[in-house]
Amino acid sequence: KGLKFGTYHSLFEWFHPLYLADKASGYHTRDYVEQVLFPELYTLVNTYQPDILWPDGDGNTNSTYWNSTGFLAWLYNDSPVKD
């Protein structure tokens, strides 16, 4: 009773070709975020419905690259764990 289920997910796959391409562009592209990270996070939340989601790191980028506000809007408004 009172035990919460949480998951950890690293934002990075440091050597993923799409991440490296985004980094090479000065983070003006977001292919890694859109094609890899977000699908993984959506699957994680939709499948396991964690009470706690703990991602880490920003890799010297900003919330715009990660689209943090977009993900948080989905998480708190539309996801299966919004309540």
Side-chain angles (χ1 to χ4, degrees), residues 1 14 18 23-24 27-28 32 42 44 47 50 58 61 66 68 74 76:
K1 193 172 189 175
W14 292 103
L18 290 176
K23 184 178 178 181
Y27 300 103
H28 294 289
Y32 171 75
Y42 291 144
L44 181 67
T47 302
D58 63 11
T61 62
W66 296 109
S68 301
W74 172 79
Y76 285 101

Side-chain angles (χ1 to χ4, degrees), residues 1-2 7-11 23-24 26-27 33 35-36 41 46 56 58 60-61 68 71 82:
K1 193 172 189 175
T7 59
Y8 164 81
H9 189 282
S10 178
L11 296 177
K23 184 178 178 181
Y27 300 103
V33 173
Q35 296 178 37
V36 177
L41 287 172
N46 286 318
D56 73 339
D58 63 11
N60 300 320
T61 62
S68 301
F71 179 74
K82 66 182 178 189

Side-chain angles (χ1 to χ4, degrees), residues 23-76:
K23 184 178 178 181
S25 79
Y27 300 103
H28 294 289
T29 58
R30 296 177 50 249
D31 295 332
Y32 171 75
V33 173
E34 294 172 3
Q35 296 178 37
V36 177
L37 179 65
F38 271 22
E40 288 176 351
L41 287 172
Y42 291 144
T43 297
L44 181 67
V45 171
N46 286 318
T47 302
Y48 299 103
Q49 300 184 15
D51 297 302
I52 301 163
L53 178 61
W54 177 45
D56 73 339
D58 63 11
N60 300 320
T61 62
N62 57 40
S63 63
T64 302
Y65 172 71
W66 296 109
N67 191 15
S68 301
T69 55
F71 179 74
L72 290 172
W74 172 79
L75 188 67
Y76 285 101

